[in-house]
Every structure is written in structure tokens, then in C-alpha cells.
Amino acid sequence: MSRTKTIRKKTSKTAKMVVKKSIKKATKKTIRKNTRKKAPQQIKKEPFVLQPLRGMKDILPQEQPYWEQVRRVTEKLAREYGFSRIDIPIMEFSNLFVRNIGEGTDIVEKEMYAFTTKGKNKVALRPEFTAGICRSFIQNGMHILAKPVKLFSTGPVYRYDRPQKGRYREHHQVNYDVFGEQDPILDAQIIQIASRTVQDLGIKSIQIQVNSIGCPTCRKDYRELLINYLESKKSKLCQDCKRRLKTNPLRVLDCKEDKCAQVSASAPQSISHLCEDCHTHFKTLLEYLDELDLSYIINPQLVRGLDYYTKTVFEIWSGSEEGKKLSLGGGGRYDKLIESMGGHEMPAIGFAIGMERIVEEMKRVQAKSYSPPRPKVFLAQLGNLAKKKSLKLFAELGKNGILIAESFGRGSLKSQLKVANKLKVSFTLILGQKESLDETVIVKNMATGVQETVSMNKLVSIIKKKLKTDNVVVYHHNK
Ligand code: HAM
């Protein structure tokens, strides 16, 4: 190697080291600076409140039999009418709701739980199911499925409303949506499912309210007519409705303020201004409802609180005086929503029931709630070895469909038998030290007090026989 080459190499080596050192120095400086910046933050002490957020509540174990009954009845009906379950996220981009439920609606304007995430996304907790289901329908290309596509969902939804009886900030809905058919027979079938849901849950006295708000074509003229009328009565409207007059005049019609209701009572009615197609659709729907013997009232003020509806809208109310304050469920047709979201032309109709309101009404009318199967056999253990074996035996009986009660934390046989008596079981299995060694179990008939010792490996079949096949409580892990 020539001298010049060696010098150049050495110089570049030194230069590299200098650069490395200065980088190290700079990095150290930055780290020090950053550490200084991120000085331990003072954790602000928030008061610790032992309660859920306003408008939200626990559904405690003692309430669950009602909820379970609602889940069972609605799932059974969904299966019967050919619905498939769909689960969608609780949170979506806010725009999905703003654009599709409608900017002028109370749900979007006042009630959305909307916020910006750490990643700067504008998101919202779902205030209803339909917009999210349509998003999923388009995104997953469900338009190619055989029609009608029937989708069923249940879960919590969030509306930041003023909490009061039957109105919560977190409530639960059972939601049914059908895509791909515009025939009014689907409208009738959806109303049939809605009324069956409520009636099968023991709420016999109901009122079905229906209306048609037309399609975008006939609604345009009707809207003009309504605005003219409402303008002439503007001074009699509440502040909110004065504003709605510009943003969403149809919503004035279902304002709950007395003075607005008086104005609405004489307002032009949408059903008198339907185009021929919408008129025939509504007339045919009513004929189907008559055929089904479903009594209904036409409520010209019923417009619903979401902008996506076209033609049929309906609500289910309790028929009783007390129950007349809140709707149990509601829905309607939304033939243009999928298309307006960028999907294919896809007529659709659906409805949702509010689970809290249904449960409250079930309690009020003393409707039947779900009663879970009760164990008819109790497993008692005595001594260390028996205690060790008891967990395995418990699982063995359970796997064979025999529901067992136990009180493994207790040591004395007397206290365990006390629990068995309280539970009114038919048989108690006693596993002591001797039985554990002999691989046997004592079976005590709780009614007669008679005891017999049986071999452990015959226990399942003996107990099944004793309980008689039809009395065996078979439970399913996935329920
Ligand atoms: P919605 O009428 O806004 O319709 O809600 C459906 C049901 O949810 C109501 O009838 C009521 O029982 C219950 N509900 C609404 N808000 C509350 C609340 N704050 N607290 C307790 N229960 C409440 C919809 O949500 C539409 N997405 C239904 C639909 C499905 N339309 C077509 N497909």
C-alpha cells in the first residue's frame, strides 16, 4: 500500500471517529433534554366515585332472567325468519353516523359520544346499528348474496341524552335489517316480527303505529308544503323547532312540546302527498297488515328521528296507559341508504327494539322471565382425599349433562347437607375418605333418607336412571 493511501485511510478513520463521537454527544444531549422534558408528571387526583356514569347501569344477576328471556325469544324469532347474526364494532368513524343518520337529527346533533383518538381519528360510539351494518354490507360485498339478506344484531348503543325513565345513555338494542327487496310484503313481515317479538315476551297489549314519509321525489314537494305551513305558525313553535324548520322540518312533526304538537296536528300530512308508487306501496302494506289481523293506527306525525328512512315508518308502543310514554321499538324502510353510501342500489327495511324498555315493560305486566334449570344433585365431600377427587367427579357428571350443586369451601358434612336441603335437590352424593379409596360414592335420596353405595364408574348411569331421562338437566356450555 502506498504512503498516501495509508494516510488517507488513517485520516478517514479519525474523521469517522470524530463524527461518531459528536453523534454520541448529540444523542446524549437529546436524551438528557428529553428526559428533562418528560419530568415525572404530577398525576392529577380525580375523585373516585363508586358508581357508573350517568345514564348507564349494571345489569345485575337478579335482572338477568328477564334479559335472558329477551335474548332467547329474539334469537328464536331471528332463526325462524331466516336472519343471520352480524356483530359490528361499537365504535366507527363519526362521519358514518353524521352523513347517514343526518346532520339535523337529535341523535347526531346532540346525542353522539364523539371524540378524537390519540391517532387523530374522529370517532363515535354507535348511536344505532343500521349505519354500521350498511357500512359492513358494502365493504364485504354482501350485495352478491342471495336476496333478501337478513341480518340480526344485539348489543349496546350510546346516546348522550338527558337520562330519565326508559331513556339511558347506554341502552341495548335487538336489531333486524333486511336487504334487497322493495315489495311491501317485507314491510308487513318486519312489522309482524316486531309485534311478535314484543308479544312473545308477554307484552300482549300493544299498539302499532305506521306512516309513510314517501320517497325523495314526493317528499320534496311535501317538504315545501310543510315548510310553508310551519313558517305561518313559526311564532307558536319551540326554539328547537324554529331551528328545525330550516334544518329538518319533518322533525317538527314529532316534537313532544305541547305547543308544537298543536301546530303539527293541523299540518299537511305526508300520506296525502305520496307519489303513485309510494301510495300503492303504503296501501298494499296496510292490506297485508289487515290480512295478518294486526291492528294498527296511522300516525301522520310519525317521522322517526333518523334521516335515512323512505316510505314506511313504524313504531311499537305498549297499549297500556302507563306504557304509552315511550316506544318499545321502531323502524322503517331505507331504500336509498346503501346507494347514498356508495353501494349498489339496495332497498332495505329494518327495526330495533330497546331491551331496557322491553324488560321494564315485562316487569310491569309481570311477564314470564327465563328460569334456568336447577341442579337436582348435590356433591358433598369429607376429608382431604375426597376433596381432591371431588373436582374431577363434579366435571365428569357435568360433562354427562347432570347439573350438580356443591359447596366445596365447606368441610363438615352437616353444613354441606344443610346447603343441599336448602337447594331442594333430590340426591346428595357423599364422597368420604373410605369411598375415595374404594372408588365408590354414597347416593343419598333426600326425600326418603335412604343411602346406597355405588361404584364410581357406574355413577353417571345410575344417577341418570334415578333422575329419569326426562328429568336430567342437560346444560350446554355455549349457552
Ligand atoms: P330508534 O327508534 O332510534 O331506532 O331506537 C330503537 C329503539 O331503541 C326505541 O324504540 C327504544 O325502544 C330504544 N331506545 C332508543 N333510545 C333509547 C334510550 N336513550 N334509552 C333506552 N332505549 C332507547 C333505531 O335506532 C333504528 N336504527 C332502528 C332501525 C333498524 N331502523 C331500521 N333498522
Side-chain angles (χ1 to χ4, degrees):
M1 200 188 291
S2 75
R3 207 169 156 252
T4 9
K5 251 190 184 172
T6 324
I7 291 171
R8 216 183 294 140
K9 207 178 170 191
K10 270 188 184 167
T11 329
S12 74
K13 227 180 178 180
T14 333
K16 262 186 199 164
M17 273 166 67
V18 173
V19 171
K20 252 190 190 172
K21 263 189 185 170
S22 56
I23 290 176
K24 243 185 182 176
K25 233 176 164 181
T27 323
K28 262 189 188 169
K29 241 185 180 174
T30 329
I31 290 172
R32 234 180 287 136
K33 210 172 146 194
N34 284 347
T35 333
R36 230 181 292 137
K37 245 198 214 161
K38 286 189 183 153
Q41 276 180 359
Q42 278 285 321
I43 296 168
K44 211 175 138 204
K45 280 198 177 144
E46 295 282 348
F48 172 58
V49 194
L50 214 52
Q51 60 188 42
L53 296 176
R54 200 160 118 79
M56 303 193 183
K57 62 187 181 112
D58 304 314
I59 305 163
L60 297 171
Q62 62 266 30
E63 295 248 338
Q64 292 294 341
Y66 287 99
W67 287 77
E68 182 60 17
Q69 184 74 356
V70 177
R71 281 191 281 267
R72 282 173 177 254
V73 166
T74 50
E75 276 166 21
K76 180 179 165 286
L77 280 172
R79 268 195 302 276
E80 190 181 317
Y81 282 87
F83 283 77
S84 305
R85 188 178 176 97
I86 181 168
D87 289 302
I88 53 166
I90 280 178
M91 216 184 284
E92 301 263 3
F93 287 112
S94 305
N95 253 348
L96 174 77
F97 306 119
V98 176
R99 283 187 43 182
N100 301 301
I101 294 173
E103 268 178 274
T105 60
D106 280 357
I107 293 180
V108 165
E109 219 173 51
K110 301 181 186 166
E111 299 168 7
M112 274 232 293
Y113 272 90
F115 55 96
T116 308
T117 64
K118 286 181 185 170
K120 306 274 180 284
N121 286 319
K122 290 200 163 92
V123 301
L125 297 182
R126 64 181 178 208
E128 59 115 36
F129 278 94
T130 308
I133 287 171
C134 289
R135 192 260 312 132
S136 177
F137 185 95
I138 301 169
Q139 192 187 349
N140 293 294
M142 292 191 217
H143 63 281
I144 59 162
L145 301 177
K147 313 233 177 7
V149 181
K150 296 181 170 181
L151 301 175
F152 165 78
S153 318
T154 60
V157 299
Y158 299 85
R159 295 182 186 178
Y160 196 86
D161 201 355
R162 194 167 55 81
Q164 50 186 287
K165 194 172 159 36
R167 200 176 291 281
Y168 304 100
R169 288 184 174 171
E170 179 189 66
H171 75 274
H172 297 74
Q173 290 189 355
V174 180
N175 186 86
Y176 302 75
D177 283 300
V178 179
F179 298 89
E181 301 274 9
Q182 51 188 347
D183 195 297
I185 193 164
L186 265 295
D187 306 39
Q189 191 179 46
I190 278 288
I191 294 175
Q192 184 190 35
I193 301 171
S195 75
R196 272 196 66 191
T197 304
V198 179
Q199 291 194 317
D200 288 3
L201 283 165
I203 304 164
K204 300 293 176 203
S205 162
I206 60 164
Q207 187 190 67
I208 302 169
Q209 297 186 5
V210 284
N211 192 21
S212 173
I213 53 171
C215 62
T217 316
C218 52
R219 198 175 319 151
K220 215 163 126 199
D221 294 340
Y222 170 64
R223 201 169 176 273
E224 284 303 311
L225 216 68
L226 184 64
I227 292 175
N228 285 342
Y229 169 79
L230 293 174
E231 282 287 357
S232 70
K233 309 279 176 196
K234 197 171 171 182
S235 60
K236 294 185 180 150
L237 297 176
C238 73
Q239 281 310 317
D240 266 353
C241 283
K242 279 182 185 147
R243 195 175 36 81
R244 282 180 191 136
L245 188 48
K246 295 211 163 49
T247 55
N248 207 344
L250 259 75
R251 294 283 294 139
V252 175
L253 295 179
D254 75 348
C255 176
K256 303 292 174 280
E257 293 276 332
D258 279 347
K259 51 184 186 177
C260 301
Q262 273 171 25
V263 173
S264 301
S266 323
Q269 301 181 353
S270 54
I271 41 170
S272 313
H273 300 87
L274 297 176
C275 61
E276 207 183 322
D277 177 41
C278 291
H279 176 79
T280 313
H281 188 99
F282 192 53
K283 192 171 146 277
T284 318
L285 163 66
L286 300 184
E287 284 165 11
Y288 279 121
L289 295 181
D290 290 337
E291 188 61 33
L292 283 169
D293 278 334
L294 283 176
S295 55
Y296 55 84
I297 64 158
I298 298 172
N299 177 0
Q301 264 80 51
L302 183 67
V303 289
R304 311 262 307 127
L306 307 101
D307 273 359
Y308 50 63
Y309 291 116
T310 47
K311 294 185 179 169
T312 310
V313 285
F314 71 94
E315 281 182 356
I316 307 280
W317 293 69
S318 161
S320 67
E321 265 321 300
E322 281 169 73
K324 270 189 183 144
K325 293 169 193 105
L326 294 165
S327 71
L328 299 171
R333 193 162 262 291
Y334 51 98
D335 287 347
K336 304 288 172 196
L337 183 57
I338 291 270
E339 214 179 323
S340 75
M341 286 170 79
H344 292 72
E345 205 181 315
M346 188 64 59
I349 182 161
F351 80 98
I353 61 160
M355 292 174 87
E356 281 77 2
R357 290 189 191 173
I358 289 280
V359 165
E360 278 157 26
E361 189 63 7
M362 282 170 75
K363 284 185 189 165
R364 207 183 59 74
V365 300
Q366 296 180 353
K368 193 177 130 233
S369 63
Y370 172 69
S371 47
R374 293 166 68 96
K376 295 212 169 77
V377 181
F378 187 91
L379 175 58
Q381 35 72 39
L382 198 62
N384 283 344
L385 183 61
K387 197 164 186 166
K388 275 184 194 145
K389 294 209 169 227
S390 58
L391 277 179
K392 209 168 173 187
L393 183 59
F394 180 92
E396 190 58 32
L397 290 157
K399 271 186 223 161
N400 281 283
I402 300 164
L403 200 57
I404 303 282
E406 45 76 23
S407 179
F408 287 151
R410 289 172 202 237
S412 93
L413 186 60
K414 199 174 159 198
S415 70
Q416 290 180 71
L417 287 175
K418 226 174 168 180
V419 180
N421 271 324
K422 221 172 170 181
L423 294 173
K424 297 195 174 82
V425 294
S426 309
F427 299 96
T428 295
L429 312 179
I430 303 166
L431 190 62
Q433 172 82 3
K434 184 176 178 304
E435 290 75 28
S436 302
L437 292 169
D438 293 354
E439 297 272 306
T440 57
V441 181
I442 298 172
V443 180
K444 179 179 167 126
N445 184 318
M446 299 299 278
T448 61
V450 174
Q451 294 191 175
E452 60 179 306
T453 302
V454 304
S455 149
M456 191 91 87
N457 55 22
K458 290 199 181 128
L459 184 64
V460 168
S461 62
I462 289 173
I463 293 292
K464 274 192 175 179
K465 215 180 269 168
K466 281 189 185 294
L467 290 169
K468 297 219 186 77
T469 329
D470 58 349
N471 265 340
V472 174
V473 179
V474 179
Y475 72 100
H476 304 279
H477 292 282
N478 58 355
K479 274 197 177 162

